[in-house]
Amino acid sequence: MLEDKLLDLANKISRTKRGKKNGITVEDPEYKILLPIITKDMADVALCLELRKPLSAEDVAPMCGKSVEKTSKLLWEVAVAGMAFVNKIDGVDKYWQELWVPGHMEMVVNNKENIVKYPELGAAFDAYGKKKGPVAAGIVPVGAGPMRVIPIEQSIDGETRNASYEEVSKFLNENTIFSVSDCACRTSREAMGEGCGHLKEDMCIQMGHAAEYYIRTGRGREITREEAFEVIQLAEENGLMHSIPNTDGPGKTHAICNCCGCGCFSMRIANMYTNPDMIRSNYVSVVDTDKCVGCGECVENCPTNALKLGRKICAETPVEETARELPYDTEWGEDKFNPDYRINREVVVDTGSSPCKAECPAHIGIQGYIKLAAQGRYTEALELIKQENPFPAVCGRVCPRYCESVCTRGDIDDPIAIDDIKKFIAEQDLNQDNRFVPKLRHHYGNKIAVIGAGPAGLSCAYYLALDGYKVTVFEKQKALGGMLTLGIPAFRLEKEVINAEIDILKELGVAFTTGVEIGKDVSLNDLRGQGFEAFYLAIGAQAGRTLGIEGENAAGVITGVDFLRSVNLGEETKLQGNVVVIGGGNVAIDVARTATRTGASNVDLFCLENRKEMPALDEEIEEAMEEKIVINNSWGPTRIITENGRVTGVEFKKCISIFDENKRFSPVYDESEMRVVEADHVLISVGQGIDWGDLIADSKIVLNPNKTIQADAVTFQTGEPDVFTGGDVLTGPKFAIDAIAFGKEGAISIHRYVQHGQSLTLGRIKREYTAFDKAELDLDSYDRLPRQTAKHADANPALVTFKDTRGTLTEEQIQKETERCLGCGSTVVDEFMCVGCGVCTTKCKFDAIKLVRKYDNANPEFKDMKSTIMKYALKRKVRIAVKKPVKAVKAAFAGGGAK
C-alpha cells in the first residue's frame, strides 16, 4: 500500500522506527508532505537511498528490483519532487537523502509547480517546525543547531576576533556555482495565506552541490558570484538578515538564506519558543547610549524584537531590572512560549521613551534628525524624516507641532524648535540642483489607483512608488495637493513648496490625472477593468459645513472652505466692506487672514469658544490679531440678516458654555445678551464635510452617520476588499501629518493585499510608541538655554501679500537649537533575545550600536551533532535539578516560611 511505503520512507528519513515511540504516523507532517507528491514506485526507489551517500541508478536498481532505465526515471522524479538530492559525479547522476530540515522540507516546497498545486506542502513544512520547536527548547547549545544566524559582514568588520566562517564573503568566494531561489519559509507562509509582506522571490542563495541541484530541477536560476553579492546587498538594504544551514561541518555551508523574523521558520525558534541559543551567531548587540538618539530604526528592523526604545535621560528613581528565567536552566514549556509573536511586537519598554516620537502621528525619529542636523548631515537627516513623512517642507510650515507640545525641554524652559529644524533641513534640499530622490526598494509593477491628491493620498502613493508599484493619482480638481493647495492660504504654505514635494513623486514614477472625478467621469469598476488591483480613497473633507440658521443662503454668505478654494485656484474673489467670519479653528483663522488680503475693510471673527477653548493654534490666533483681525469669543450666531436677498448683518447671542458635565458639545446661551453686527460678507467656517458624489455608489463601502468611511482600525480596509482608505475621509478633519501617517499605513496594506498569500496583519509592526512619565525625571541640573526663533522676511508684512514672510533658522541658529535637545530616548537591548544578526548596525546612522563577540562556538562535525546535543541536554537536566531546591528555599524565605 502507498500509505505503508510513505510511512516507511518518512521514518527512514527521520531515523525513527514505524510503530515505535516517536515513530512517524499518518498524522505527522513528515508523512503529509510525501502524500501528494510521492507515488508507490517513487517510494520504492527512495527507500533505497541513504543519508548523504551518493548512489547511481545502477546502484539502486538491484536493491529495488527495477530496471536501470525505470530506476533512473523514478529517481529523477523523486529528486524533482524534493525527496532526493541529485548531482552529476564523475559524469554520472547520483542521488542521496538529506535531513528534513535543512533539507527535504525546503526542497519540496521550492518545487514551484507542486506548491501551487498542493498548498498543503507549505502547511506540512510549517507543522514540522511547530512539532520540533517545543522539544528542542533549551537542549541545543550555541552553534549546534541545524540552522544558524551569520552576521551581516559589515557589522563585524571592526571585530578583531571574528572567524572566517562568520563571513558571508567566505562562502561566496569559496564556491564557483550559485543559484538563487524563492525563500521556502515565505513560500510556505504564502501558501497558507499567512505571508508577512516580505516576499519570497529570489531570496535564498545556494552554492556548490545545492546550486547544481536547484538549477537542474528548476527550483532556482543560475547566477554569477557577482549577482550573489548583489542579492546579499539588496537583502541587507531591505532589513533582512542571513542564516545558513549548519550541518555541513566546521566552516562549511551550502546555502545562505536572507531571512525576516516574521516569516522565517528558523527564526521562529527564537521568537515563538523563546529559544534563541539554538540559532544565534556568536555575537550580541551592544548600544553606546551616549551616541544613541532613539530614532527607532534599529528597533523596527530587529528580527527578534530584542531592541526597544527606552529612556536615556536621568530619573529620580532608576528603572529596576527584573531577573528572567532562561531555557538554559529552566523547564521550558508553553507558558514560556510566545505564539502571537507575529502580532504582538513591542517598540517601547514598559516605562516609555521619548515623548516627541510618541506624540508625532507619524512617529518620526525626531531625536535622530536633530542630531544629524547638528552634525551638518542634512541629506541624511532628510532621508530619516522621509522614512515616515515624504513632505517635510510642507509640514515644516503647517504642522501642529504635537511633538513640541510634549517636548521634555519645555519642562525646563522652552520646547525644542523641532518644526523649524525640520523646515531648515527640507529647505536645504529644496535649494539643491540635485534633490534627494530615494532609491526604489523593489520593482513590483502592480497598478494601484489613489483617489485624491491630498496629503494622505500623496503619502500612500509615495510609499507604494518606493516599492516599484505603478501608481496613478486621480484628482477631481485641476490642482494637486488637496487641502494643502486649496485649503491653506499661500502666506502659510506657498504652492511652490507643495509642487516641489510632489515633483519627487513624479521622479519616482507616480502618474497624476487631474480634472477627473471618480464616480462621475469614470467608476471604480471601470478602473478595475483597466487593470488597477487596489484603490486608496483619500478624497478628504473638502466640503464646508453650514449652520442651519435663517439667511445663510443669501448672497454674500459662503463657507470658508469654498472661499479658500476659490482664492487658491486664482478665481476672482474680491471682498469689500465688513467681513464676518464664524468659527474658531485653524481654518477660520486662515479664512479671516485671507479676507484681509482680498479687499475686506474690517474682519471680525466670532466663535462659541472662549479664548482658552479655541481649537486654533495659539500662534495662528496671535498672527491674526497682529493683522488687526478682531477675535470675538463666546458668541453664537442665531440668524443672518438679509435685505433683498443679500446679507447685511449677523445676529449673535452670548454663549455661556459649550460643553456639558460629560464634556459633550452642548452650548448654553444667555438669551438676554444679544448683538447685531453689520456684514457685507459672511464666511462660515464651522467644520468640514465629505462630498462623496457617486464615488462609492453600488459598492459595499459603509459610511458612518457623519459621512466618514468605515474601515478596519489596523489595516484600513473598507467593505470593498480592494479599497483602502485614510486621512480626513476616515477620521474627519485633522492635520496634514495625521493624514500622512495614514497614507503610509495604507501603502503597507495595499502591498500586502495585491501580493498573493500575504496577511494584512501578521508580521505588521504596531507602532505604539509611548512616552515616559516626565514627573519622574530629574531636570534640575540642566542649564536654561534660549529657544532660537526665525525672523520674518519682512518685519512688518503687508496684509495685501500672499507671500509667506516667515523666515527660516540660519545654520548658526540650527547649531544652537540642536544643542538644546536633551536626547531623552535610547535603544535598550535584550541580550538574551538578540541573535547577533547585525541588521541593527546597518540601520544606525550614528555608530551607536555594534556587535560584540560573546560566544566562540563553531558548527560541529555533522557526525558529532547528536552527541553534542545529548551531552548538553543532560547537563541542562542537572542544572534544572540543582536549581529547584534553591528556588524553593528562596521562595520560602520570601514568603516568611523560614524563621
Side-chain angles (χ1 to χ4, degrees):
M1 289 178 58
L2 175 62
E3 180 180 305
D4 293 328
K5 291 289 185 179
L6 296 185
L7 283 173
D8 288 340
L9 179 58
N11 277 284
K12 180 173 184 178
I13 297 172
S14 303
R15 287 180 283 179
T16 54
K17 292 187 177 181
R18 183 177 166 191
K20 302 293 185 179
K21 183 181 179 181
N22 298 327
I24 305 302
T25 72
V26 294
E27 299 302 321
D28 286 309
E30 295 93 328
Y31 171 83
K32 291 181 178 180
I33 203 166
L34 299 175
L35 186 59
I37 60 171
I38 300 296
T39 66
K40 180 178 177 298
D41 284 345
M42 291 166 67
D44 283 338
V45 297
L47 281 165
C48 298
L49 297 178
E50 300 294 337
L51 176 66
R52 297 189 176 182
K53 180 181 178 182
L55 297 173
S56 67
E58 287 79 2
D59 297 326
V60 174
M63 291 188 277
C64 66
K66 302 180 188 298
S67 69
V68 172
E69 181 181 2
K70 179 69 172 177
T71 301
S72 179
K73 179 176 180 295
L74 289 170
L75 282 173
W76 177 253
E77 290 174 357
V78 169
V80 170
M83 293 313 300
F85 261 115
V86 59
N87 269 197
K88 196 168 287 294
I89 301 173
D90 297 328
V92 177
D93 279 345
K94 294 195 175 182
Y95 300 81
W96 66 92
Q97 286 174 350
E98 255 299 339
L99 306 175
W100 282 116
V101 172
H104 292 303
M105 289 286 173
E106 292 93 337
M107 292 156 65
V108 167
V109 167
N110 275 136
N111 182 305
K112 296 183 179 184
E113 291 183 9
N114 281 346
I115 190 63
V116 173
K117 191 184 299 183
Y118 309 112
E120 61 266 34
L121 299 175
F125 186 11
D126 172 63
Y128 180 82
K130 289 177 178 176
K131 174 184 174 181
K132 294 294 185 179
V135 298
I139 68 169
V140 180
V142 173
M147 295 290 295
R148 191 179 190 186
V149 171
I150 183 171
I152 291 174
E153 194 160 334
Q154 72 180 67
S155 69
I156 57 172
D157 280 348
E159 173 60 61
T160 57
R161 295 185 299 144
N162 64 308
S164 61
Y165 65 81
E166 297 166 328
E167 298 173 350
V168 169
S169 62
K170 168 194 182 301
F171 301 113
L172 295 182
N173 289 327
E174 283 182 351
N175 283 278
T176 58
I177 179 171
F178 307 89
S179 64
V180 63
S181 73
D182 296 347
C183 168
C185 300
R186 275 171 263 175
T187 297
S188 299
R189 298 280 197 189
E190 179 185 295
M192 295 185 291
E194 296 181 3
C196 61
H198 293 106
L199 302 190
K200 66 182 186 299
E201 284 75 17
D202 286 356
M203 275 293 113
C204 295
I205 297 170
Q206 298 79 36
M207 300 165 289
H209 75 272
E212 180 185 334
Y213 168 76
Y214 265 65
I215 294 165
R216 290 185 61 191
T217 60
R219 283 165 168 75
R221 60 181 177 85
E222 185 171 7
I223 58 174
T224 64
R225 180 182 290 112
E226 290 71 25
E227 289 173 316
F229 274 108
E230 289 172 4
V231 171
I232 294 293
Q233 181 181 351
L234 181 61
E236 292 174 0
E237 288 174 355
N238 284 290
L240 301 178
M241 52 170 289
H242 311 309
S243 294
I244 58 172
N246 198 41
T247 58
D248 291 359
K252 298 177 182 178
T253 193
H254 60 269
I256 301 171
C257 303
N258 296 311
C259 310
C260 62
C262 41
C264 175
F265 292 153
S266 175
M267 294 303 298
R268 180 168 60 187
I269 294 169
N271 286 321
M272 181 170 175
Y273 300 110
T274 328
N275 185 27
D277 281 357
M278 186 169 169
I279 61 165
R280 70 166 71 252
S281 76
N282 283 323
Y283 296 82
V284 295
S285 296
V286 175
V287 172
D288 184 336
T289 54
D290 290 335
K291 293 180 179 179
C292 181
V293 296
C295 67
E297 291 299 300
C298 61
V299 171
E300 295 198 15
N301 283 280
C302 176
T304 59
N305 204 192
L307 306 178
K308 298 176 185 177
L309 287 186
R311 186 180 67 200
K312 177 162 63 173
I313 195 168
C314 294
E316 293 180 356
T317 305
V319 177
E320 292 186 9
E321 293 188 10
T322 55
R324 72 187 300 170
E325 292 184 316
L326 302 175
Y328 170 81
D329 58 2
T330 307
E331 291 179 344
W332 215 246
E334 289 185 8
D335 60 318
K336 305 294 196 300
F337 299 164
N338 181 16
D340 295 327
Y341 75 95
R342 302 181 80 198
I343 58 173
N344 65 5
R345 276 181 70 105
E346 296 176 345
V347 290
V348 177
V349 297
D350 292 341
T351 50
S353 189
S354 306
C356 57
K357 186 175 179 71
E359 195 70 13
C360 173
H363 303 301
I364 302 171
I366 293 170
Q367 274 181 244
Y369 74 71
I370 288 176
K371 176 61 74 173
L372 288 167
Q375 297 171 349
R377 298 159 64 185
Y378 304 127
T379 299
E380 291 176 79
L382 184 77
E383 182 181 7
L384 181 59
I385 295 170
K386 287 198 169 191
Q387 296 275 8
E388 315 300 340
N389 176 5
F391 313 119
V394 167
C395 287
R397 290 160 170 81
V398 298
C399 192
R401 306 182 181 189
Y402 296 129
C403 52
E404 293 185 23
S405 70
V406 296
C407 176
T408 309
R409 185 84 213 187
D411 289 29
I412 299 173
D413 37 48
D414 292 310
I416 304 296
I418 296 170
D419 215 40
D420 285 325
I421 295 171
K422 179 166 70 239
K423 180 181 178 182
F424 174 88
I425 292 167
E427 204 74 10
Q428 307 314 298
D429 183 61
L430 292 180
N431 295 330
Q432 293 291 323
D433 291 333
N434 296 309
R435 296 180 59 201
F436 170 71
V437 179
K439 178 182 177 181
L440 296 188
R441 298 179 298 214
H442 303 284
H443 298 84
Y444 293 134
N446 310 61
K447 290 177 67 176
I448 313 295
V450 173
I451 317 301
L458 293 174
S459 173
C460 183
Y462 176 89
Y463 290 109
L464 287 170
L466 286 184
D467 279 335
Y469 287 104
K470 293 182 179 178
V471 184
T472 301
V473 179
F474 294 89
E475 170 56 49
K476 179 171 71 172
Q477 301 294 337
K478 63 184 181 182
L480 300 173
M483 294 301 283
L484 295 176
T485 299
L486 304 179
I488 300 176
F491 56 80
R492 286 189 56 224
L493 180 57
E494 292 179 319
K495 308 316 166 195
E496 293 82 359
V497 173
I498 304 170
N499 292 333
E501 300 271 51
I502 293 173
D503 283 343
I504 299 301
L505 273 74
K506 293 177 179 178
E507 290 276 347
L508 291 171
V510 177
F512 293 91
T513 301
T514 57
V516 174
E517 183 175 351
I518 307 300
K520 178 182 177 182
D521 302 314
V522 63
S523 69
L524 290 178
N525 276 335
D526 291 335
L527 294 177
R528 289 183 180 107
Q530 295 174 24
F532 288 96
E533 298 180 35
F535 303 87
Y536 190 69
L537 296 192
I539 62 173
Q542 73 284 51
R545 292 187 183 277
T546 54
L547 294 162
I549 61 175
E550 178 188 339
E552 67 182 356
N553 293 322
V557 180
I558 62 172
T559 68
V561 170
D562 289 336
F563 169 67
L564 289 175
R565 182 182 296 113
S566 295
V567 172
N568 284 319
L569 286 173
E571 299 171 355
E572 185 66 30
T573 314
K574 203 71 175 169
L575 302 181
Q576 294 179 337
N578 298 320
V579 174
V580 169
V581 177
I582 299 173
N586 291 307
V587 176
I589 296 292
D590 285 344
V591 168
R593 295 181 67 193
T594 301
T596 65
R597 290 160 168 79
T598 52
S601 302
N602 299 292
V603 179
D604 280 272
L605 185 146
F606 289 82
C607 62
L608 288 172
E609 301 89 354
N610 62 38
R611 176 67 174 81
K612 186 177 180 181
E613 293 169 331
M614 284 182 71
L617 298 175
D618 289 340
E619 175 186 328
E620 297 199 27
I621 295 172
E622 291 165 7
E623 288 177 346
M625 294 173 67
E626 289 175 3
E627 296 180 2
K628 311 303 181 188
I629 294 166
V630 180
I631 309 291
N632 300 273
N633 294 105
S634 303
W635 289 97
T638 58
R639 66 188 179 101
I640 294 173
I641 303 168
T642 65
E643 184 176 323
N644 298 323
R646 181 165 186 85
V647 61
T648 60
V650 185
E651 181 182 83
F652 293 92
K653 59 184 175 183
K654 191 68 174 177
C655 181
I656 299 172
S657 64
I658 61 172
F659 298 111
D660 63 16
E661 64 274 11
N662 296 317
K663 301 297 183 182
R664 291 177 300 198
F665 182 74
S666 181
V668 176
Y669 298 97
D670 182 351
E671 301 292 343
S672 66
E673 192 170 353
M674 308 290 289
R675 179 179 178 184
V676 174
V677 179
E678 292 184 1
D680 298 294
H681 298 273
V682 176
L683 307 177
I684 301 171
S685 188
V686 292
Q688 295 160 241
I690 302 166
D691 180 9
W692 284 103
D694 294 324
L695 173 56
I696 58 174
D698 301 321
S699 77
K700 297 177 183 177
I701 291 173
V702 179
L703 301 181
N704 294 307
N706 66 352
K707 290 191 176 181
T708 56
I709 195 169
Q710 290 185 12
D712 183 88
V714 174
T715 68
F716 308 108
Q717 188 177 37
T718 69
E720 289 283 350
D722 61 350
V723 177
F724 299 81
T725 191
D728 289 356
V729 77
L730 175 71
T731 63
K734 297 189 82 171
F735 292 98
I737 187 62
D738 297 280
I740 288 167
F742 278 112
K744 182 175 182 181
E745 291 298 321
I748 292 170
S749 289
I750 288 173
H751 160 68
R752 287 165 169 256
Y753 175 80
V754 300
Q755 298 295 342
H756 174 67
Q758 304 305 306
S759 163
L760 294 182
T761 56
L762 295 175
R764 186 171 187 149
I765 297 175
K766 295 179 181 177
R767 309 184 74 225
E768 295 175 346
Y769 288 94
T770 56
F772 49 64
D773 184 355
K774 290 195 283 184
E776 298 179 356
L777 302 183
D778 180 6
L779 302 174
D780 293 338
S781 61
Y782 290 94
D783 293 333
R784 272 60 179 164
L785 297 171
R787 175 179 167 126
Q788 300 296 306
T789 57
K791 291 183 172 61
H792 276 271
D794 184 341
N796 184 24
L799 301 186
V800 295
T801 181
F802 276 90
K803 183 178 177 59
D804 186 353
T805 61
R806 297 170 298 174
T808 304
L809 294 177
T810 65
E811 191 161 15
E812 181 182 356
Q813 286 180 303
I814 287 293
Q815 293 303 310
K816 291 180 180 179
E817 189 60 20
T818 54
E819 287 176 6
R820 297 180 65 240
C821 180
L822 302 178
C824 300
S826 178
T827 296
V828 177
V829 180
D830 180 344
E831 188 176 294
F832 169 66
M833 284 303 297
C834 173
V835 295
C837 67
V839 168
C840 53
T841 68
T842 69
K843 300 302 175 183
C844 183
K845 295 179 181 294
F846 306 94
D847 194 30
I849 190 166
K850 61 181 180 179
L851 292 189
V852 173
R853 191 180 181 92
K854 181 178 180 180
Y855 307 95
D856 191 23
N857 297 348
N859 48 328
E861 291 285 357
F862 175 68
K863 62 182 178 60
D864 298 329
M865 289 187 74
K866 185 175 181 179
S867 61
T868 299
I869 292 170
M870 290 180 65
K871 290 176 184 176
Y872 186 82
L874 182 60
K875 291 179 181 178
R876 174 174 176 264
K877 280 189 175 182
V878 173
R879 287 192 294 267
I880 292 172
V882 170
K883 184 180 176 183
K884 280 185 178 179
V886 174
K887 189 175 181 180
V889 171
K890 287 183 177 179
F893 273 99
K899 303 296 183 183

